[in-house]
Amino acid sequence: MKLNFVLSIFLLLFIQSSFSQKIVKTGAPLEYVSTLVGTQSTYFLSSGNTYPAIAMPWGMNFWSPQTGKMGDGWMYTYTAEKIRGFKQTHQPSPWMNDYGQFSLMAMVGKPTFDENKRASYFSHKAEVAKPHYYSVYLADYDTQVEITPTARAAYFRFTFPKTDSAFILVDAFDKGSFVEVIPDQRKIIGYSTKNSGGVPDNFKNYFVLEFDRSFTNISTFADSVLQNGRIKVKAEHVGAIIGLQAKGRADQVLVKVASSFISHDQASLNLKELDGLSFDQAVEKGASVWNKELGKLEIEGGTIDQIRTFYSCLYRSLLFPRMFYEYDATGKVMHYSPYNGEVLPGYLFTDTGFWDTFRALFPFLNLMYPEMSLKMQEGLANAYREGGWLPEWASPGYRDIMVGNNSASVVADAWIKGVRSKDIEVLFEAVKKGSMHAGPITAVGRAGADYYNTLGYVPYDVKIHENVARSLEYAYDDFSIYQLAKSLNKGKEEIDFYKKRSFNYKHLFDPESGLMRGKNQDGNFQRPFNPFKWGDAFTEGNSWHYSWSVFQDFEGLARLSGGHKALEAKLDSVFILPPIFDDSYYGFPIHEIREMQIANMGQYAHGNQPIQHMPYVYNYVGAPWKSQYWVRETMNRMYTSNPDGYCGDEDNGQTSAWYVFSALGFYPVTPATDEYIVGSPLFDKVTLHFDNGKKLHIHSENNSLTNRYIKSMTVNGKISTKNYLYHSSLTRGGKIVFSMDSVPNKKRGVDLEDLPFSLSR
């Protein structure tokens, strides 16, 4: 018995050692990416709310296996047992749902249009899910389906058993669709109009499919009526089923698919992305593209799970905003405008919400992918020209959701980080317009602008919900415009105007609670006040979450709070308080509430964006070791490479970019400044390959699970006690060395000159 006990202990130690063993040198980064991270989600509890996007970086078209019913925002869930089809998708999240969508499905035997009857059992054991390649075995049809994408097209390979009754279905979905089978060209064309909003009346997604063999049978369906021999159909819901002869495993059926928002002819042009490529060559080319982009961040000295988590998060950081532009026959860039319905020259990007992504995703692109960021800035200028406003949530055009005017941050951060758009004067005009006026919908411009312009805040009692959240974000956005105006050498009056408004957060600071609180039009704070109440004056959070939304001036917040020590104690309280909540505004616990409740990190709700920067705020009050502890704690506990790997909505790269930045050892707490705030580096070695040809080497000596504290830091050989790093310095290349320890160094980073930028200092 004693021997068995000793053997058990030895085995446990061996297993623990194996899982914590560091990998010195990684292979191709694509090997570590799983597209299934975050797919084990439901409406009531999000572990990412992602789907396995089969896509190129920022690709115009994505593909995904479809387990959910047509129109279900949860198109793929890890716990599902059946696949209904393989869907072209442009869905940024289940909450926004989809547009530009249609699906393919393989069948053997008796074909059916019904999405329930055609669904096949599948297993994750017979599934390969990578960004550039997806494969799955459809058990009910003894058929393997493989997909590899380009930016605007996709290659399918179907391996049927030997049969005369192999079928491929094209489902153009409901809400108005069209399909035509062209047998002599072995082609199917069509369009889908199904969308969830944000499109003009003339919106269509045109698609074309080319097969490698003739059709043995043709059927089309219209509104559930299947008719054999009919080749052209237009109705509410249409599709086609074509029969094929399959001679066995070696006789694989190949299908090329592309789509366009412009025309069928343009869809055929987009299909040329696959010209001259076999299926395997297309897979290889896609792998090369992904490895190039992922390889700009080279890591060493992490556990296998950390490396998988890092590169899976990096993959998610390179999907949105997606390209919404195409190339005409002469190679000219053009786009269909979801803002006015016209086909126009120039770049356009879409499917992102700035309320989420201004915080880390766009700063990350400005650091590592500035050439792509430059195109995005041109796309923003085009959106303004075509729609009259900068979008705050685009999918594909304006969507009326979320709060803030954070396009100002996206524009300003790019310019200040050296992304020099030729359209900057147009963009400056756009951010000023957005700062002063309410738009045609609530989520464009600033809701409550007249109140904010007069009082410096949006009142609680004027029937504009989420008023504190709006006011705090408006003040930060004014700071972003102030920074941009300074950089553009605008007039003193204009610069001073936006600087003054940057302090508007002070109007909502409640000395009684030391938190942000709604204020009525008469200047009195709203009553009763419950800082644990979600919603109401706040957006998907409570006062404990939003009281740190003073990105531009934590020194000013500290002074209001009674000094650095008082603000430090208030920060500690976030993690100490129990995860209690008041859900009366919603009437039930929304999924963000549940995700905070089950995380066992007090009131810290990392699963949603408003508080994600908060662990870094300790750096502003001279307690950087607490940032180092909680940043590492969040990386270790809130992220894995498993299907439940996120602790809330992934949200178009924002939650992923938080991890990527934090693993490097720094984070952009205040976009529109030149600073990153130091945290706790995760890997022993990191090499950043910048677009300008420079390299930044980050070494973390004596790093481990327990050694999360920075004992010392050198930048290019010089000791630095500062709690921040400069973007302009990093991009020149060089070397940063962190010396890590298991105990905090409470003498480092504590002097005033070590603290990061604040507007009040």
Side-chain angles (χ1 to χ4, degrees):
M1 178 69 78
K2 183 179 290 186
L3 180 61
N4 288 340
F5 175 77
V6 172
L7 287 173
S8 297
I9 293 296
F10 176 79
L11 182 61
L12 285 171
L13 290 172
F14 175 78
I15 292 171
Q16 184 178 8
S17 174
S18 298
F19 277 103
S20 62
Q21 187 174 1
K22 290 185 177 182
I23 296 176
V24 176
K25 187 73 175 178
T26 59
L30 190 59
E31 297 174 11
Y32 300 97
V33 175
S34 171
T35 63
L36 299 179
V37 179
T39 60
Q40 190 174 311
S41 300
T42 69
Y43 176 89
F44 298 102
L45 191 67
S46 173
S47 296
N49 265 335
T50 64
Y51 55 89
I54 311 158
M56 286 294 98
W58 309 287
M60 188 179 88
N61 299 332
F62 295 178
W63 287 84
S64 174
Q66 180 187 345
T67 62
K69 292 183 178 181
M70 178 179 63
D72 187 349
W74 284 261
M75 76 175 85
Y76 178 99
T77 52
Y78 189 80
T79 54
E81 299 172 339
K82 291 185 176 183
I83 286 177
R84 302 169 189 267
F86 301 90
K87 178 183 177 186
Q88 181 183 276
T89 175
H90 297 85
Q91 178 172 296
S93 82
W95 309 108
M96 301 302 291
N97 216 298
D98 212 346
Y99 66 93
Q101 52 197 305
F102 61 94
S103 70
L104 279 66
M105 184 59 179
M107 291 174 283
V108 172
K110 184 179 180 181
T112 178
F113 150 70
D114 185 280
E115 67 174 341
N116 294 318
K117 294 178 181 178
R118 76 192 189 214
S120 170
Y121 280 97
F122 80 107
S123 168
H124 299 298
K125 298 178 181 67
E127 180 186 42
V128 178
K130 293 290 183 181
H132 71 301
Y133 173 77
Y134 179 85
S135 173
V136 72
Y137 176 69
L138 300 180
D140 289 319
Y141 302 121
D142 189 23
T143 295
Q144 183 184 22
V145 179
E146 300 167 273
I147 310 170
T148 189
T150 67
R152 297 166 188 83
Y155 219 144
F156 279 74
R157 183 161 68 186
F158 299 91
T159 305
F160 291 101
K162 185 177 181 180
T163 179
D164 292 330
S165 57
F167 297 92
I168 293 177
L169 172 145
V170 180
D171 189 340
F173 287 15
D174 60 358
K175 307 301 181 184
S177 47
F178 163 79
V179 162
E180 180 180 1
V181 183
I182 309 173
D184 59 338
Q185 298 182 39
R186 300 186 303 199
K187 182 185 290 187
I188 298 175
I189 65 171
Y191 64 71
S192 167
T193 65
K194 187 177 179 66
N195 67 83
S196 304
V199 299
D201 292 339
N202 67 346
F203 169 81
K204 291 183 176 69
N205 185 235
Y206 301 90
F207 57 80
V208 57
L209 294 82
E210 290 185 356
F211 294 74
D212 73 337
R213 67 196 60 201
S214 299
F215 308 149
T216 60
N217 180 268
I218 299 170
S219 300
T220 55
F221 61 83
D223 301 335
S224 301
V225 177
L226 192 65
Q227 183 173 329
N228 193 39
R230 181 177 56 184
I231 64 171
K232 190 174 183 179
V233 61
K234 178 182 176 182
E236 172 74 0
H237 184 186
V238 307
I241 302 176
I242 57 104
L244 302 162
Q245 187 178 49
K247 298 177 182 178
R249 299 297 182 193
D251 181 38
Q252 295 169 315
V253 177
L254 298 171
V255 183
K256 297 178 179 179
V257 191
S259 76
S260 167
F261 295 103
I262 295 172
S263 68
H264 281 124
D265 288 343
Q266 182 63 44
S268 294
L269 280 176
N270 293 343
L271 197 64
K272 291 182 180 296
E273 292 181 350
L274 292 167
D275 275 5
L277 296 175
S278 68
F279 183 89
D280 290 331
Q281 287 171 333
V283 173
E284 186 177 342
K285 185 176 181 180
S288 177
V289 171
W290 270 109
N291 278 319
K292 176 186 175 185
E293 302 299 352
L294 296 169
K296 291 182 178 180
L297 291 85
E298 186 181 350
I299 59 175
E300 302 176 40
T303 67
I304 186 64
D305 189 61
Q306 288 170 339
I307 292 169
R308 286 171 175 165
T309 302
F310 180 86
Y311 279 119
S312 296
C313 282
L314 182 53
Y315 148 75
R316 291 278 168 198
S317 301
L318 304 185
L319 292 176
F320 299 102
R322 78 167 77 250
M323 304 170 189
F324 204 74
Y325 61 89
E326 307 173 50
Y327 295 95
D328 69 10
T330 67
K332 182 181 177 183
V333 176
M334 57 196 296
H335 64 269
Y336 165 82
S337 174
Y339 301 103
N340 62 20
E342 298 177 17
V343 177
L344 297 165
Y347 294 107
L348 199 69
F349 290 79
T350 192
D351 289 328
T352 190
F354 295 153
W355 182 82
D356 304 292
T357 54
F358 85 86
R359 304 164 194 270
L361 188 276
F362 278 94
F364 177 66
L365 299 180
N366 293 332
L367 175 66
M368 295 306 306
Y369 304 91
E371 291 181 7
M372 184 58 65
S373 182
L374 183 63
K375 295 176 183 178
M376 293 173 184
Q377 292 295 309
E378 181 180 327
L380 278 176
N382 287 332
Y384 174 68
R385 292 184 183 105
E386 294 157 22
W389 301 84
L390 288 176
E392 302 298 334
W393 230 119
S395 181
Y398 299 123
R399 299 295 291 272
D400 200 7
I401 188 170
M402 305 312 291
V403 305
N405 180 219
N406 299 308
S407 55
S409 176
V410 173
V411 170
D413 189 64
W415 182 263
I416 287 164
K417 299 284 175 58
V419 179
R420 296 302 195 214
S421 172
K422 63 181 175 58
D423 297 305
I424 191 60
E425 291 299 335
V426 173
L427 290 168
F428 187 66
E429 172 192 308
V431 298
K432 285 199 301 177
K433 177 181 177 181
S435 74
M436 298 303 295
H437 304 283
I441 57 176
T442 305
V444 168
R446 295 186 177 181
D450 289 343
Y451 292 110
Y452 181 84
N453 294 340
T454 303
L455 301 173
Y457 62 95
V458 180
Y460 181 85
D461 58 346
V462 295
K463 298 183 178 179
I464 298 176
H465 64 93
E466 300 166 289
N467 38 81
V468 174
R470 295 180 193 277
S471 300
L472 294 174
E473 292 190 23
Y474 294 167
Y476 163 70
D477 296 328
D478 283 333
F479 167 78
S480 298
I481 301 171
Y482 158 68
Q483 290 283 90
L484 182 58
K486 279 198 305 178
S487 184
L488 293 174
N489 294 314
K490 297 299 179 181
K492 184 178 185 302
E493 184 177 349
E494 193 164 45
I495 292 171
D496 289 347
F497 174 77
Y498 283 104
K499 181 177 183 180
K500 181 179 179 181
R501 284 164 49 122
S502 303
F503 292 104
N504 278 343
Y505 70 89
K506 294 183 178 182
H507 294 297
L508 298 179
F509 180 81
D510 170 28
E512 182 182 336
S513 64
L515 298 169
M516 296 297 173
R517 179 175 175 180
K519 181 176 281 189
N520 294 331
Q521 196 172 356
D522 63 7
N524 292 313
F525 284 111
Q526 54 95 187
R527 296 183 183 279
F529 173 58
N530 181 357
F532 300 104
K533 185 177 183 179
W534 282 62
D536 194 17
F538 303 95
T539 301
E540 296 178 2
N542 61 32
S543 182
W544 279 105
H545 305 146
Y546 252 98
S547 291
W548 319 107
S549 292
V550 187
F551 312 95
Q552 70 276 26
D553 195 16
F554 290 110
E555 177 64 27
L557 182 64
R559 293 174 186 177
L560 291 174
S561 302
H564 288 178
K565 287 296 181 183
L567 188 60
E568 180 185 343
K570 188 67 75 172
L571 289 163
D572 291 342
S573 299
V574 172
F575 298 108
I576 294 170
L577 288 166
I580 58 176
F581 58 87
D582 175 353
D583 63 1
S584 59
Y585 177 77
Y586 301 106
F588 65 96
I590 60 175
H591 75 92
E592 290 90 350
I593 292 176
R594 284 284 180 239
E595 288 142 20
M596 178 198 75
Q597 183 189 32
I598 65 177
N600 192 26
M601 291 184 77
Q603 285 291 316
Y604 184 62
H606 189 79
N608 211 18
Q609 280 66 42
I611 201 172
Q612 285 181 349
H613 66 288
M614 172 258 166
Y616 286 94
V617 178
Y618 285 108
N619 283 285
Y620 293 80
V621 294
W625 59 90
K626 291 187 177 181
S627 284
Q628 294 153 25
Y629 176 85
W630 285 112
V631 167
R632 185 72 75 91
E633 194 74 2
T634 303
M635 283 192 281
N636 290 344
R637 291 170 54 181
M638 298 293 105
Y639 292 82
T640 75
S641 58
N642 300 322
D644 64 345
Y646 293 103
C647 55
D649 285 353
E650 195 279 330
D651 280 328
N652 308 117
Q654 166 55 31
T655 301
S656 291
W658 186 96
Y659 184 91
V660 172
F661 260 128
S662 296
L664 299 181
F666 51 87
Y667 184 81
V669 169
T670 311
T673 68
D674 191 43
E675 292 182 1
Y676 301 104
I677 310 308
V678 174
S680 178
L682 191 62
F683 299 104
D684 292 351
K685 294 182 181 179
V686 175
T687 303
L688 303 184
H689 301 265
F690 295 121
D691 279 2
N692 62 9
K694 304 291 186 179
K695 295 181 183 179
L696 176 68
H697 302 278
I698 304 171
H699 290 205
S700 302
E701 298 173 346
N702 200 34
N703 200 3
S704 70
L705 181 65
T706 54
N707 293 4
R708 63 180 65 182
Y709 298 105
I710 297 173
K711 183 178 181 180
S712 64
M713 178 178 76
T714 64
V715 179
N716 294 327
K718 296 181 179 179
I719 293 176
S720 173
T721 58
K722 299 190 184 305
N723 297 334
Y724 58 90
L725 297 160
Y726 287 118
H727 171 91
S728 51
S729 175
L730 298 186
T731 54
R732 289 196 293 268
K735 187 175 182 179
I736 299 172
V737 178
F738 295 100
S739 177
M740 308 301 290
D741 205 344
S742 60
V743 294
N745 181 355
K746 296 185 178 181
K747 295 181 180 180
R748 184 195 169 277
V750 299
D751 295 331
L752 285 179
E753 57 266 27
D754 296 326
L755 308 187
F757 167 86
S758 278
L759 194 57
S760 288
R761 189 167 53 245

